[in-house]
Amino acid sequence: MGAPVDKFFEESMSESLRTCYLYLNQTSRSFAAVIQALDGELRHAVCIFYLVLRALDTVEDDMTIPLEKKVPMLNDFHTYLYQANWCFTESHEKDRRVLEDFPTISLEFRNLGQAYQDVISDICHRMGVGMAEFLEKKVGSMKEWDQYCHYVAGLVGIGLSQLFSASQLEDPEVGKDTELANSMGLFLQKTNIIRDYLEDIQVARAFWPQEAWSQFACRLEDLAESDQLTSALSCLNLLVTDALRHVPDVITYLARLRNQSVFNFCAIPQVMAIATLSACYNNPQVFQGVVKIRKGQAVTLMMQATNMGAVQSIMAQYSQEMLQRVSLTDPSRDKTLFILGVIQERTLSQATLASRTAHLSPMYLSAAMILAALSWQYLSTTAGQPPGTADMQGH
């Protein structure tokens, strides 16, 4: 469960909007607290955006829906937003409630401002089409990995950025620069895919790209064999290096943000992700169990990530940790050293350090502490799962 909606907002909300926040808290492992810390009407828009994508994702995840039914549903899902009575009662997924009571969610969607509706409908359409495409094919090349991550997470980053700009809490350029927004989603999604290797292969899911693993093994699941450790680590480090190339864009994106609640919302998942990626780098545990970041470490990150200077320091710290663990014999060594060097340059420079310090006041530190406390229950059960946009895709 996430944060309770504060009393002032709750009393001014319709019954159906209150129900939407109830579903948000029931379905989001990590997103509820940060959504409910957003300012003003943006909070409602992001809540509805989350629930619409959670419903879409529930259709994608449900293996009991035959392909000939599922593909048209994914392609047409955005049209259900404007069909007042549309619902789906045949799902067996844990989050099926958002499909069974979709009329409540679609009603609140239609109550949003037109600018918010346009963003949510467009992203839902593009994501549904992308999900349908990848239902029928595996992630093969590195380019396809980027494309898959774009559909399930990059589009979330783009949609959120457009909502930030539509709310006027952020400048128009935040919503217009889709490349940076896409990188925000890709960094989170790739981190989750890398960390979840073992969990995924145990249920016959494959999200590591074949172009990467086929250099080191005949089958993806072979990397979990104890006699394949050197090959497994080489493949792991190749993918971590690929994920790290999004970090400079993440830094540029965060430096543009002006609203404190939006900054916290965006920065917390990103610092969790780099901490998780650092924990995974060159770590045999990825192939043997679950790689977690400690609860105390996670809460500290949440409390610190409230201004640009602090975020740069965190990024610098974890990139330095990875630098010290680069093996002399790793095939990706040169690429890894190069991208870590770029990140160090971006995080240790003073160029953007001053851009956010003026926005920080002691009040925000206490708000961050409250946020960390509210998220404690989430952390105590699923520590090591970076919250944020990629969570929308159940990864």
Side-chain angles (χ1 to χ4, degrees):
M1 291 281 278
V5 182
D6 68 53
K7 280 283 174 254
F8 173 78
F9 277 98
E10 192 164 358
E11 284 162 13
S12 65
M13 286 195 300
S14 64
E15 187 65 36
S16 52
L17 189 55
R18 275 205 291 271
T19 302
C20 287
Y21 278 97
L22 178 67
Y23 293 154
L24 173 70
N25 281 293
Q26 287 172 347
T27 58
S28 171
R29 294 174 302 209
S30 51
F31 232 33
V34 275
I35 288 176
Q36 288 161 195
L38 286 168
D39 290 344
E41 63 183 21
L42 177 61
R43 173 196 290 201
H44 300 327
V46 174
C47 172
I48 301 305
F49 185 40
Y50 176 89
L51 292 175
V52 168
L53 297 190
R54 171 55 70 208
L56 177 67
D57 190 51
T58 303
V59 172
E60 186 209 24
D61 282 348
D62 194 330
M63 294 305 166
T64 67
I65 306 172
L67 268 187
E68 61 271 19
K69 190 173 188 176
K70 187 185 286 194
V71 170
M73 274 181 80
L74 292 173
N75 283 320
D76 297 342
F77 202 87
H78 65 291
T79 66
Y80 306 151
L81 293 166
Y82 291 101
Q83 295 176 32
N85 297 318
W86 185 88
C87 64
F88 184 73
T89 56
E90 299 162 40
S91 177
H92 300 279
E93 290 291 296
K94 63 177 173 22
D95 292 333
R96 62 185 176 272
R97 193 79 190 103
V98 292
L99 289 169
E100 293 167 349
D101 193 20
F102 198 74
T104 297
I105 296 165
S106 69
L107 172 66
E108 284 305 327
F109 164 81
R110 295 187 300 276
N111 285 341
L112 294 171
Q114 193 60 48
Y116 296 131
Q117 289 186 43
D118 290 347
V119 170
I120 294 170
S121 174
D122 174 57
I123 297 297
C124 181
H125 184 192
R126 290 157 67 187
M127 188 180 288
V129 169
M131 285 174 165
E133 181 187 323
F134 273 92
L135 276 181
E136 308 197 59
K137 70 175 186 184
K138 290 271 197 300
V139 180
S141 66
M142 297 298 284
K143 197 172 179 182
E144 282 175 339
W145 199 38
D146 276 10
Q147 191 63 28
Y148 171 75
C149 292
H150 165 72
Y151 284 140
V152 300
L155 284 171
V156 183
I158 290 167
L160 286 168
S161 301
Q162 292 171 346
L163 294 177
F164 300 156
S165 293
S167 73
Q168 301 189 320
L169 291 176
E170 295 297 346
D171 294 339
E173 67 166 354
V174 171
K176 284 178 186 157
D177 197 334
T178 55
E179 199 171 321
L180 290 186
N182 189 55
S183 288
M184 294 281 284
L186 262 61
F187 184 57
L188 297 181
Q189 186 69 14
K190 286 181 178 181
T191 298
N192 289 352
I193 287 172
I194 290 165
R195 181 203 59 210
D196 290 344
Y197 165 83
L198 196 61
E199 184 187 313
D200 285 335
I201 64 157
Q202 283 169 348
V203 291
R205 286 189 307 219
F207 297 108
W208 281 29
Q210 188 171 352
E211 184 182 330
W213 60 257
S214 63
Q215 296 174 42
F216 306 102
C218 294
R219 300 178 311 159
L220 178 57
E221 52 269 36
D222 291 346
L223 296 175
E225 301 296 333
S226 55
D227 61 348
Q228 296 293 313
L229 187 57
T230 303
S231 295
L233 291 176
S234 294
C235 185
L236 169 65
N237 295 343
L238 184 157
L239 294 180
V240 170
T241 301
D242 181 79
L244 286 169
R245 69 188 168 83
H246 301 295
V247 173
D249 278 356
V250 167
I251 293 164
T252 304
Y253 181 98
L254 292 174
R256 280 184 182 170
L257 299 177
R258 293 287 164 264
N259 177 272
Q260 185 70 48
S261 74
V262 171
F263 185 85
N264 292 354
F265 177 89
C266 294
I268 289 170
Q270 300 295 334
V271 297
M272 295 289 213
I274 199 163
T276 302
L277 208 56
S278 175
C280 289
Y281 182 69
N282 210 35
N283 186 351
Q285 188 62 26
V286 170
F287 304 98
Q288 296 156 10
V290 184
V291 174
K292 292 186 177 183
I293 52 174
R294 295 185 314 278
K295 280 181 284 193
Q297 183 186 3
V299 170
T300 302
L301 288 171
M302 287 176 135
M303 290 171 63
Q304 287 177 340
T306 57
N307 67 86
M308 199 60 214
V311 167
Q312 285 179 293
S313 298
I314 292 164
M315 297 279 193
Q317 173 198 330
Y318 287 110
S319 56
Q320 183 61 41
E321 279 187 19
M322 283 183 267
L323 264 173
Q324 290 168 351
R325 301 206 309 277
V326 178
S327 158
L328 285 167
T329 55
D330 188 86
S332 302
R333 175 184 167 82
D334 290 346
K335 284 183 180 174
T336 311
L337 292 174
F338 176 78
I339 189 57
L340 288 172
V342 171
I343 295 166
Q344 292 261 291
E345 204 174 290
R346 290 293 310 275
T347 53
L348 297 172
S349 72
Q350 296 303 303
T352 51
L353 276 176
S355 68
R356 284 209 50 85
T357 45
H359 302 276
L360 185 66
S361 77
M363 182 186 83
Y364 292 126
L365 292 177
S366 62
M369 292 170 84
I370 292 164
L371 182 62
L374 289 170
S375 302
W376 180 260
Q377 190 173 6
Y378 148 71
L379 290 164
S380 65
T381 53
T382 56
Q385 225 155 7
T389 53
D391 178 52
M392 287 186 164
Q393 301 317 318
H395 229 74

